[in-house]
Amino acid sequence: MTPGLWRSLDERAAVWPGRNWPLGATWSPESTNFAVYSPNATGMWLCLLDDAPGDGEQRFALTEQSLGIWHGALPEIAPGTRYGYRAEGPADETEGMRFDPATLLLDPYGLAVSGSAGNASSVVVDPSFDWSDDNPIRRRWLDSVIYELHVKGFTQLHDRIPEELRGTYAGLGHPVVTDYLRDLGVTAVELLPVHQFFSEPALVERGTVNYWGYNPVSYFAPDAGYSASGDRGQQVTEFKQMVKDLHAAGIEVILDVVYNHTAEAGPDGPTYSFRGLDDRGFYRRVPPVDGVYDDTYWDVTGCGNTVNSEDPLALRLILDSLRYWVSEMHVDGFRFDLMSAITRTAGPDAIRVDMACKLLIAIGQDPVLRHVKLIAEPWDVSMDGYLVGGMPPPWVEWNDQFRDTIRDFWRGQTQGSHAVATRLAGSSDLYADDGRSAYNSVNFVTAHDGFTVRDLVSYDTKHNEANGEDNRDGTDNNRSWNHGVEGETDDPEIVALRRRQAANLMATLCLSNGVPMLTAGDERGRTQGGNNNAYCQDNEISWIDWQADNAWLDVYEVTRTALQLRREHPALRQRHWFEGRPTIIGGPKDLAWLHPSGREMTDQDWYDADLDTIGMFVSGKPLRSPGPRGEQQIDTSFLLWFHAGAEPITVFLPDNDWVRAGAIVLSTDTGLPAGTKLVVGEELVIGPRSVVVMQETEA
């Protein structure tokens, strides 16, 4: 497309030609280049919004178009200027064309968003920032402890953070937060979605909001709702400072990203950006019948649409967004929501999961992305999308089989202990057969969706009435146990048992082979009152209560101790799979499973439904893996007892040639406090439902 005809020799174009790359608004002191992809549009207007009363609008026709990209440059545009696009083109829904110049569209590559749904605009941003000596931490997976948190919910009620910073990026970077995380033993925060998002109209109509943020509208813009400094680009600077502060504390930043769908929902949903520019290309449709295009949206996200990651420009947007957050915002990795939805390739009659799809190949070859932390939520809402154990290297995965097995064990609902031992040792059944390690398993017992740990031991069923859906939403497969009373109680015996069970869950998580992921507040007994789907609760139901009088601080101490043991002892976070054989001639097995009687477990023991106690011996002399310079690594050995039975159990500490004495270093049994001395050949009585960790000492 060409600009048209000049009318006189002294004429000057109001819009400079600019260039078709990079996409988005690229600011410089001289001019700002605007480029937007809309291959089927017949006209495109760049609209600058005035800040004067009435919020007027200046429109500039973009007359340059190449490769489907409309572009132009305007001189002397100040950072903070609000803008959007109006696209003209066919309005033929049967052909996937939904152009409407009456709708002001967000820039898909906009770096910031100002305003709210129905009154939002993109913002021109000056990207300069003083990073000083900030560099990627690149901590190894085996040294990592992930902490899933919500930017607002983590600090909204924190009385030691200045009130104006609570619930913001600046609040999360505050020393009060970084000191707490370091003291606990966290090495990385995994932030619930921070891409700019809008609430669904149905939620707004019933007086609630989308709290979690899984409803994005802009994949380059940090959500302005978490900014203490403003929404005209200040949110970008504030986010960068938060990352810098967390990095200074040795804490990596992982983003939960939602590239599988957008807030535009189904074809009757609101139009914010993508639908008004390239609806047919950006969203997947059902496979054609007899070669005839069908405009029906194909949805495996449960949110009305699925992003078409096979489309060249949709794929480019995802990759450009990821690189932007790594290169410009300095984040350390990503957790991909509903990963299966975007790892698909369309065939003649189906859109199937494909481990050689364009997106996975592109990320694996990208020199920036292939070295960051990549975490998959390996499922979507379809029947064929469950991929746990199936992602290719270097991806790691949320392991829901760990969650379910460990929950069942501690509530006394396992049939034998074989699956429990497999999860404790790193889930080799899922990850060993294709050359991956135990650290491809992100272990968790709770996450943002579902019960908190406190609610897991306090409720048998969900209580989601506050969500306004008559308690129909949220899973019924909680694998929880209220221990005799539904909800909170003053019964001291039940409260004590619940706290011990919560500590058992946290200790098991922190000491299992794999990468532990804690949900924020679980270590101190956060409750949501039995709500297992608090996605629309931007209030005290979801926010962390920092008052000590309601906290389970004994659970905090167990969690902190378990993470300290893990951090200080490489025997508890080994790089290679356990082999069940010696690491040195004449030495003990690297891993041995013990029956309470002191002998090794037999095949029959593994499937004994009445056996609810497992002993896990881990040898530290030496480790199978050499150190970074080839040196032999020597650590102390450990014996971990996991007893889920309702009655005390007597365990025998067998005589052997390698370990002669030890001491308890972690215990949820008040009758066996840390520091208790032990020698081989003795019997030990472990109280009901307890974890006891013994560490080798000199005889």
Side-chain angles (χ1 to χ4, degrees):
M1 183 171 180
T2 60
L5 294 174
W6 294 106
R7 289 174 292 182
S8 65
L9 289 176
D10 59 351
E11 191 175 354
R12 180 184 294 272
V15 180
W16 301 357
R19 60 186 185 185
N20 66 357
W21 62 274
L23 291 168
T26 306
W27 178 85
S28 73
E30 181 185 27
S31 65
T32 299
N33 190 80
F34 296 89
V36 60
Y37 180 74
S38 186
N40 295 307
T42 57
M44 186 69 62
W45 286 268
L46 167 66
C47 304
L48 303 185
L49 305 183
D50 298 333
D51 289 328
D55 283 335
E57 177 181 305
Q58 291 180 279
R59 298 186 184 182
F60 299 87
L62 297 182
T63 57
E64 301 280 350
Q65 189 211 45
S66 57
L67 304 176
I69 299 171
W70 300 78
H71 56 94
L74 290 179
E76 299 179 353
I77 299 296
T81 299
R82 295 179 297 144
Y83 73 98
Y85 294 106
R86 298 186 185 275
E88 187 170 24
D92 184 355
E93 295 183 358
T94 63
E95 292 297 322
M97 304 292 180
R98 291 175 168 83
F99 291 98
D100 180 7
T103 301
L104 183 70
L105 303 171
L106 294 172
D107 183 351
Y109 276 70
L111 303 184
V113 172
S114 175
S116 56
N119 189 33
S121 56
S122 298
V123 179
V124 175
V125 172
D126 176 359
S128 61
F129 180 77
D130 180 11
W131 284 106
S132 300
D133 58 353
D134 183 83
N135 287 300
I137 295 175
R138 294 202 172 110
R139 184 174 284 107
R140 297 182 303 174
W141 275 120
L142 81 163
D143 298 326
S144 297
V145 176
I146 299 173
Y147 192 78
E148 187 195 38
L149 64 80
H150 188 282
V151 171
K152 180 176 182 179
F154 194 69
T155 63
Q156 185 66 24
L157 297 177
H158 206 306
D159 59 357
R160 292 179 56 204
I161 292 177
E163 186 172 0
E164 67 275 12
L165 301 183
R166 295 174 193 168
T168 69
Y169 303 121
L172 193 59
H174 194 278
V176 168
V177 172
T178 56
D179 288 349
Y180 177 86
L181 295 174
R182 283 197 300 182
D183 183 68
L184 180 59
V186 169
T187 70
V189 291
E190 182 177 302
L191 307 183
L192 266 67
V194 296
H195 290 161
Q196 182 70 49
F197 66 91
F198 291 156
S199 294
E200 295 87 339
L203 288 180
V204 176
E205 289 173 6
R206 65 175 187 249
T208 58
V209 297
N210 188 314
Y211 171 68
W212 288 345
Y214 292 89
N215 211 40
V217 294
S218 184
Y219 290 114
F220 293 79
D223 193 272
Y226 304 141
S227 173
S229 50
D231 68 355
R232 299 296 185 88
Q234 298 96 331
Q235 63 266 53
V236 178
T237 302
E238 187 176 329
F239 184 93
K240 291 178 177 178
Q241 186 63 51
M242 176 199 71
V243 173
K244 185 178 178 181
D245 292 339
L246 287 165
H247 280 179
I251 298 169
E252 293 183 300
V253 179
I254 298 170
L255 302 187
D256 194 333
V257 290
V258 189
Y259 293 111
N260 59 80
H261 75 277
T262 77
E264 292 184 318
D268 296 327
T271 295
Y272 298 123
S273 178
F274 312 100
R275 177 173 291 129
L277 293 167
D278 185 25
D279 182 61
R280 181 163 176 165
F282 195 75
Y283 295 120
R284 278 201 186 272
R285 302 314 205 271
V286 298
V289 178
D290 297 328
V292 178
Y293 173 80
D294 185 339
D295 191 57
T296 304
Y297 275 34
W298 187 80
D299 177 20
V300 290
T301 68
C303 300
N305 64 62
T306 301
V307 173
N308 183 9
S309 58
E310 285 191 272
D311 178 77
L313 266 293
L315 176 62
R316 175 177 170 182
L317 180 143
I318 294 172
L319 295 170
D320 286 348
S321 169
L322 292 168
R323 280 190 292 263
Y324 172 79
W325 287 96
V326 173
S327 301
E328 298 297 326
M329 307 295 263
H330 284 210
V331 305
D332 303 280
F334 306 94
R335 177 266 188 189
F336 287 71
D337 179 67
L338 300 183
M339 186 69 189
S340 304
I342 51 175
T343 56
R344 292 179 177 266
T345 298
D349 58 354
I351 303 172
R352 303 188 189 281
V353 172
D354 180 7
M355 291 297 95
C357 68
K358 295 177 180 178
L359 178 64
L360 290 179
I361 295 298
I363 291 176
Q365 294 178 341
D366 190 283
V368 174
L369 301 179
R370 66 189 180 206
H371 297 300
V372 303
K373 286 182 165 63
L374 298 170
I375 306 170
E377 182 185 39
W379 52 78
D380 55 25
V381 302
S382 70
M383 296 298 292
D384 66 332
Y386 186 76
L387 302 178
V388 173
M391 293 295 296
W395 290 83
V396 307
E397 305 170 6
W398 271 25
N399 185 353
D400 65 337
Q401 294 188 33
F402 179 94
R403 175 198 65 197
D404 294 350
T405 302
I406 299 305
R407 286 187 181 189
D408 284 348
F409 175 70
W410 284 113
R411 69 190 183 107
Q413 295 297 316
T414 50
Q415 297 299 311
S417 51
H418 182 270
V420 179
T422 301
R423 301 295 159 243
L424 293 173
S427 297
S428 60
D429 59 329
L430 298 174
Y431 304 109
D433 61 344
D434 58 357
R436 292 190 288 170
S437 76
Y439 295 95
N440 287 93
S441 174
V442 175
N443 299 331
F444 64 105
V445 292
T446 67
H448 62 276
D449 51 345
F451 280 151
T452 66
V453 161
R454 181 168 178 162
D455 290 351
L456 194 65
V457 299
S458 302
Y459 294 89
D460 277 354
T461 60
K462 65 187 181 185
H463 296 267
N464 298 353
E465 290 80 7
N467 295 353
E469 299 179 40
D470 297 325
N471 207 34
R472 295 187 304 270
D473 62 305
T475 183
D476 293 313
N477 184 27
N478 296 296
R479 299 173 187 260
S480 60
W481 179 30
N482 66 18
H483 297 86
V485 175
E486 186 73 356
E488 296 296 316
T489 178
D490 294 328
D491 186 309
E493 292 187 4
I494 293 178
V495 171
L497 178 55
R498 287 176 174 177
R499 293 171 82 137
R500 187 163 71 252
Q501 288 281 65
N504 291 337
L505 286 161
M506 298 303 289
T508 306
L509 169 63
C510 295
L511 296 172
S512 294
N513 213 14
V515 181
M517 185 188 79
L518 288 64
T519 303
D522 273 352
E523 75 280 2
R524 52 190 298 116
R526 181 176 77 92
T527 178
Q528 293 181 166
N531 193 321
N532 75 353
N533 190 36
Y535 76 103
C536 58
Q537 300 299 329
D538 186 7
N539 51 47
E540 287 82 356
I541 291 176
S542 299
W543 303 339
I544 293 181
D545 181 359
W546 291 95
Q547 298 302 311
D549 57 359
N550 194 40
W552 287 3
L553 297 181
D554 50 339
V555 179
Y556 173 87
E557 290 301 328
V558 167
T559 306
R560 180 177 178 274
T561 299
L563 290 177
Q564 181 178 359
L565 288 170
R566 181 187 186 92
R567 180 173 64 253
E568 295 178 352
H569 293 282
L572 297 175
R573 45 180 176 82
Q574 298 196 29
R575 186 160 57 92
H576 289 126
W577 290 107
F578 293 115
E579 297 182 12
R581 59 188 180 90
T583 61
I584 192 170
I585 297 173
K589 293 180 178 180
D590 57 356
L591 172 65
W593 298 102
L594 299 185
H595 188 274
S597 66
R599 60 175 168 79
E600 285 197 55
M601 295 278 284
T602 66
D603 289 344
Q604 185 176 358
D605 292 332
W606 288 122
Y607 299 99
D608 181 354
D610 295 325
L611 183 61
D612 43 26
T613 307
I614 307 176
M616 182 180 183
F617 171 79
V618 179
S619 174
K621 290 185 176 179
L623 304 186
R624 193 173 301 282
S625 301
R629 292 173 176 80
E631 71 277 13
Q632 193 176 76
Q633 296 190 90
I634 297 177
D635 194 6
T636 56
S637 298
F638 289 85
L639 178 55
L640 300 81
W641 287 103
F642 302 92
H643 174 49
E647 301 296 331
I649 185 75
T650 299
V651 300
F652 183 71
L653 307 180
D655 198 357
N656 64 89
D657 295 332
W658 307 285
V659 178
R660 308 302 301 167
I664 294 175
V665 290
L666 181 150
S667 175
T668 64
D669 179 0
T670 56
L672 293 173
T676 301
K677 304 296 184 184
L678 307 165
V679 294
V680 298
E682 289 186 337
E683 289 184 340
L684 187 71
V685 178
I686 297 177
R689 301 189 174 98
S690 298
V691 173
V692 177
V693 179
M694 307 171 182
Q695 181 181 358
E696 173 192 9
T697 61
E698 294 299 326

